[in-house]
Amino acid sequence: MLSKNGYLLVLGERNIETLGFFSLIDDLSYLHSTHAVYVRDERDFFRRQPCFREDVSFSAIVCISANIFFPEWFNTFLFLQRKTLGRILIYINDESYVCDGKKRLISRVAHADCILYSTMPVNSLRFALVDALNGRIRNDHACHLSLRELSIIDGYIKGVKAPAQSVLLNVNVKTIYQHRKNCANKLGLKSLKDLTRM
C-alpha cells in the first residue's frame, strides 16, 4: 500500500466529462490516506514536480480528452510510466477521441487492464483505482524504451533538430537518426513523424 506520503497523480482537465471519475478518485484516495494531485498538463506537472521526489512513491492516471495534443500527451505518458515504475492507468473519456492509429500505439505501451473507459461499470473503475492506490498495477507490457530513447522522443516531439539534439546528448548526428528509427520501430510506426501526425 502507498504510504501516507504517497501520491496519486491525475493528469487531465477537470470538466463535466471527468467529474464522476474524479469524484471516485477523491473518495478512494481519502480512504487510502493518499494525496490525489491534479495537474492539467505536462507544464503543470513539471511546475509541481518537487512534490514527486525520488523517495516518494506515486501512481498516476493520465486522461485522454477531446482537447489534448496527443504527441505531447504520449510523451508525458512515457515519462510517467518510467517515473512510476509502471504504476500508471489511462482513462479515456470517449473512445471516439482515440482513432485506430492511437489505439495501436497505446496498446504497444500499455496493458489492456491498465486502460479504463468512461463506459466501464463503476465497480470495474473502482477496482482498478484501488489497485493503483495500493501499488498493485504493473504496466510492464510496454515496449522497453531506454532513457536515451525517451530523451530522443521527447526532443523530437518538442521540435529539437537532430544536430542540436546530438550536441545535447553528446553523440553523432547519425546516432540520433538511428535512435529515432529504433524508437519508431519499437512503437510500431514507420517514423516518428507518424507520431506527430496523430
Side-chain angles (χ1 to χ4, degrees), residues 8-177:
L8 177 65
L9 173 72
V10 184
L11 180 77
E13 195 172 332
R14 273 190 185 270
N15 54 34
I16 197 72
E17 294 176 318
T18 58
L19 198 57
F21 184 62
F22 283 10
S23 296
L24 184 60
I25 291 170
D26 289 336
D27 294 345
L28 291 173
S29 295
Y30 177 76
L31 290 173
H32 286 79
S33 302
T34 302
H35 305 287
V37 179
Y38 294 89
V39 293
R40 288 177 56 114
D41 54 25
E42 181 182 338
R43 285 179 290 290
D44 194 16
F45 169 74
F46 285 109
R47 202 171 24 254
R48 297 173 73 170
Q49 192 182 6
C51 71
F52 302 107
R53 300 183 318 267
E54 295 299 326
D55 60 332
V56 176
S57 63
F58 74 98
S59 297
I61 301 169
V62 290
C63 302
I64 297 181
S65 56
N67 58 349
I68 65 155
F69 176 56
F70 187 79
E72 187 175 281
W73 174 93
F74 185 72
N75 191 35
T76 305
F77 169 79
L78 291 175
F79 169 79
L80 288 174
Q81 187 173 48
R82 182 170 286 278
K83 188 92 169 140
T84 62
L85 304 175
R87 294 187 306 263
I88 189 166
L89 295 172
I90 298 172
Y91 176 74
I92 301 174
N93 286 334
D94 186 340
E95 284 189 69
S96 67
Y97 301 151
V98 186
C99 66
D100 289 340
K102 290 177 185 175
K103 283 181 185 173
R104 276 193 303 278
L105 184 61
I106 290 170
S107 72
R108 298 281 291 207
V109 296
H111 193 275
D113 294 343
C114 296
I115 302 172
L116 310 177
Y117 296 95
S118 59
T119 54
M120 293 172 76
V122 174
N123 277 342
S124 297
L125 294 174
R126 183 184 306 275
F127 289 135
L129 288 173
V130 168
D131 282 347
L133 291 166
N134 288 328
R136 285 194 302 257
I137 59 169
R138 192 50 106 223
N139 202 354
D140 53 9
H141 166 76
C143 58
H144 297 286
L145 293 161
S146 66
L147 285 174
R148 174 63 53 96
E149 288 169 331
L150 288 173
S151 65
I152 295 290
I153 293 171
D154 182 55
Y156 186 83
I157 289 172
K158 290 178 177 169
V160 179
K161 302 288 184 205
Q165 205 168 21
S166 72
V167 171
L168 289 171
L169 297 175
N170 197 25
V171 295
N172 191 314
V173 177
K174 288 181 181 179
T175 306
I176 296 294
Y177 287 118

